[in-house]
Amino acid sequence: MTGDEAIRVSGTVSVDRSIFGLDELRRDGEEARPFWTDLPMDGALVVVGHGIARVLSRAQSHDVSVVVEVRCGLPDGPGEGFELLGSWRYRTGSGDQLVCTVDGPALTFRLREDSGYMLHVWCRGGDTAAARFDELMGQVYPITGLEEYLFVFTSDG
């Protein structure tokens, strides 16, 4: 991201075992470092590491809507019903980013390599996702529309 350049990617991500995450491609010869699945499963909704993040959904296997934005500043508001899960410093390596499920990459996007960002994560529908999942389990497949996620990367100065 340079100057006023903005990036926006969106898609559907199939959550399995209540988790999905962010990761990045490793460069040839890069020192080994953890993948998103190596982050603690301690109950925190979002855990962030070097070029990786793990998101814990409040429901089990279902499809979620995901939007990733890279922008110069925060949006005025992501929309009604979104809850800010938190903001974290996020450091890239290669810059080739992936939104991943346990089955592999679902979306791709690019950040500047070896750069710092602030990662802001919002969710809509998370507070009722578990109850709605229980109602739909065994009746609807695939289960969709329980949660929406917005990941916003802003320049870290």
Side-chain angles (χ1 to χ4, degrees), residues 97-115:
Q97 304 292 303
L98 311 164
V99 177
C100 296
T101 68
V102 294
D103 292 328
L107 299 171
T108 62
F109 60 101
R110 179 100 178 113
L111 298 174
R112 290 185 315 264
E113 63 182 59
D114 300 316
S115 295

Side-chain angles (χ1 to χ4, degrees), residues 5-138:
E5 180 183 356
I7 297 170
R8 180 181 169 93
V9 296
S10 61
T12 300
V13 173
S14 295
V15 172
D16 189 15
R17 295 173 236 170
S18 300
I19 59 170
F20 70 102
L22 301 176
D23 211 320
E24 70 179 345
L25 297 177
R26 306 309 192 267
R27 294 180 274 212
D28 289 339
E30 182 177 6
E31 182 178 319
R33 57 184 167 95
F35 291 94
W36 75 275
T37 52
D38 298 323
L39 289 168
M41 300 293 177
D42 59 5
L45 293 178
V46 180
V47 178
V48 177
H50 180 178
I52 57 176
R54 189 266 306 140
V55 177
L56 178 62
S57 169
R58 295 174 184 149
Q60 297 175 30
S61 300
H62 64 292
D63 290 348
V64 299
S65 172
V66 172
V67 174
V68 177
E69 294 183 355
V70 182
R71 48 188 301 139
C72 291
L74 283 176
D76 292 334
E80 186 177 329
F82 275 92
E83 165 192 12
L84 178 64
L85 301 181
S87 299
W88 300 266
R89 291 196 181 282
Y90 190 91
R91 185 93 188 137
T92 65
S94 72
D96 294 316
Q97 304 292 303
L98 311 164
V99 177
C100 296
T101 68
V102 294
D103 292 328
L107 299 171
T108 62
F109 60 101
R110 179 100 178 113
L111 298 174
R112 290 185 315 264
E113 63 182 59
D114 300 316
S115 295
Y117 291 85
M118 286 300 295
L119 168 60
H120 313 274
V121 181
W122 282 271
C123 178
R124 177 170 30 201
D127 54 341
T128 60
R132 289 183 294 144
F133 176 84
D134 289 344
E135 289 173 10
L136 297 173
M137 181 69 167

Side-chain angles (χ1 to χ4, degrees), residues 118-157:
M118 286 300 295
L119 168 60
H120 313 274
V121 181
W122 282 271
C123 178
R124 177 170 30 201
D127 54 341
T128 60
R132 289 183 294 144
F133 176 84
D134 289 344
E135 289 173 10
L136 297 173
M137 181 69 167
Q139 299 180 36
V140 176
Y141 183 83
I143 297 175
T144 62
L146 300 183
E147 296 174 301
E148 296 174 56
Y149 287 89
L150 172 63
F151 297 87
V152 177
F153 290 87
T154 58
S155 181
D156 192 22

